[in-house]
């Protein structure tokens, strides 16, 4: 029987278990779900680390030739196999023709970023002209804030969520300092309610409603790196703009994870990195979005020659003809080697589509949640049983493919035991107060997620 599009993940798991006449936690359910996974062949497009090559592995506990259980795609995506080919194409061109490579080939270096930007349209939901591929994420955040954050005596605050990613926090702090504004007053941070881990949309909207007149820019993450909470981007955008604020998003953990419609939602600006769910490799080429409604009104504060129209750029007459919109924000010529790795990854997204990826992700994440609840919920009869709690919201609309878990056992113990068995997860560094107890599991990443891997993950500590 075909699953209905409205079937909840837990219901799918139970339906398959009853078809197979086994318990929902039985590995056979996971095997069936992997079999039915329409994206399963996309695993072939990636290098998946082997157990034996992981530094912390204990080879007495695992089969050395097996694939690792990689749940860290939210931190660094795996390598698409075509990266090497595309890099070699450009290295060969460089070797054979030197500077002529600027003009010819599959990716003329001068327009290297532009040759692949169209592959990003569907991932962020924007027109090609609204997207720029340049720099690193935090650099782009700074460049966008320099243009969108124009404080006045009445409207001078930046609104953000609590426990924002440190780089974003520092970027905002330093932008305020640049304008000589007092941090305490100008950096408006929304915290969750007492005893809660995630933010309620009604609380966010209330702050915007009450304080919106003094807020210049709302800068939220699309999906919170620590809690895994997916914010209601259209609702925040609409509420902020109704109060006259600019509304921007850092999509580092949202891009390539959930479906985005930046243009239709009317988001003012956004930026993202490409090495997490977009699998473009460490330090990959980042992205920026400026809505077309601002193309002629919001100008870059800092300008370089790649913001100049291509048709006259090389006249070198020092008369700036600025490209409208985000591409006028490009300062330097594009790093072609970074374009190659991003190209390889974006082609896979184009084939698979975000819609299908999200569909799988909802089921896979729901399956993992089901299994965690099955094995590790509080049990009044057995108080010695380990307990695992999920911080991430359980509503599908409020999360992507990340689950943030807390353990009743000491985290370092859990973490070491996962690592030894080739389960790669990330834990936020202990330097952030209150963050050292959790582990982050990005279960669906770069199309490589497996139901059987989720099943293995939850069964590990069954042995003690
Ligand atoms: C990963 C991440 C960053 C990293 O910034 P870089 O400039 O790419 O080093 C910044 N902000 C958020 C929200 C992130 O998740």
């Amino acid at each position: 029987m075909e699953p209905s599009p409205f079937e909840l993940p837990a219901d799918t798991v139970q339906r398959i278990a009853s078809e197979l006449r086994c318990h929902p936690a039985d590995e056979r359910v996971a095997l069936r779900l992997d079999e039915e996974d329409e994206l399963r062949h996309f695993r072939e497009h990636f290098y998946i680390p082997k157990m034996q090559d992981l530094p912390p592995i204990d080879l007495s506990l695992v089969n050395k030739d097996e694939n690792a259980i990689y749940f860290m795609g939210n931190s660094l995506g795996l390598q698409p196999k075509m990266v090497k080919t595309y890099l070699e194409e450009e290295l060969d061109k460089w070797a054979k023709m030197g500077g002529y490579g600027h003009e010819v080939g599959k990716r003329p270096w001068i327009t290297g970023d532009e040759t692949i930007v169209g592959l990003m349209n569907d991932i962020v939901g924007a027109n090609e002209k609204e997207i720029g591929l340049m720099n690193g994420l935090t650099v782009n955040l700074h460049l966008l804030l320099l243009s969108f954050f124009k404080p006045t005596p009445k409207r001078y605050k930046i609104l953000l969520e609590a426990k924002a990613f440190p780089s974003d926090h520092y970027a905002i702090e330093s932008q305020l300092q640049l304008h000589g504004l007092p941090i305490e007053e100008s950096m408006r941070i929304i915290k969750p309610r007492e005893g809660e881990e995630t933010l309620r949309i009604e609380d966010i909207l209330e702050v915007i409603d009450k304080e919106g007149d003094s807020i210049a820019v709302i800068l939220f993450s699309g999906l919170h790196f620590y809690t895994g909470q997916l914010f209601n981007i259209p609702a925040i955008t609409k509420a902020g703009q109704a109060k006259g604020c600019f509304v921007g998003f850092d999509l580092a953990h949202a891009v390539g994870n959930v479906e985005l419609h930046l243009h239709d939602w009317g988001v003012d600006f956004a930026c993202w990195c490409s090495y997490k769910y977009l699998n473009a490799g460490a330090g990959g080429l980042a992205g920026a979005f400026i809505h077309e409604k601002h193309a002629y009104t919001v100008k870059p504060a800092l300008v370089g020659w790649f913001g100049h129209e291509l048709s006259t750029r090389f006249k070198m007459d020092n008369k700036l003809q600025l490209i409208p919109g985000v591409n006028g924000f490009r300062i330097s010529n594009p790093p072609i080697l970074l374009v190659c790795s991003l190209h390889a990854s974006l082609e896979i997204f184009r084939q698979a589509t975000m819609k299908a990826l999200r569909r799988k992700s909802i089921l896979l994440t729901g399956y993992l949640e089901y299994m965690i609840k099955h094995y590790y919920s509080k049990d009044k009869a057995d108080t010695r049983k380990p307990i695992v709690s999920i911080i991430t919201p359980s509503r599908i609309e409020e999360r992507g493919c990340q689950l943030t878990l807390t353990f009743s056992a000491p985290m370092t113990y859990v973490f070491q035991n996962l690592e030894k068995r080739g389960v790669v997860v990330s834990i936020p560094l202990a330097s952030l107060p209150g963050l050292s107890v959790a582990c982050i599991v990005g279960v669906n990443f770069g199309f490589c997620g497996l139901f059987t891997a989720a099943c293995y993950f939850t069964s590990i500590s069954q042995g003690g």
Side-chain angles (χ1 to χ4, degrees), residues 88 253 261 350 357:
E88 275 168 8
H253 285 260
H261 304 282
R350 171 57 59 90
L357 179 64

Side-chain angles (χ1 to χ4, degrees), residues 122-140:
D122 292 341
I123 296 176
V124 296
N127 306 327
E128 218 163 292
K129 291 200 164 138
E130 294 173 310
I131 305 171
L133 300 178
M134 57 193 187
N135 312 313
L137 166 57
T138 313
V139 174
N140 288 342

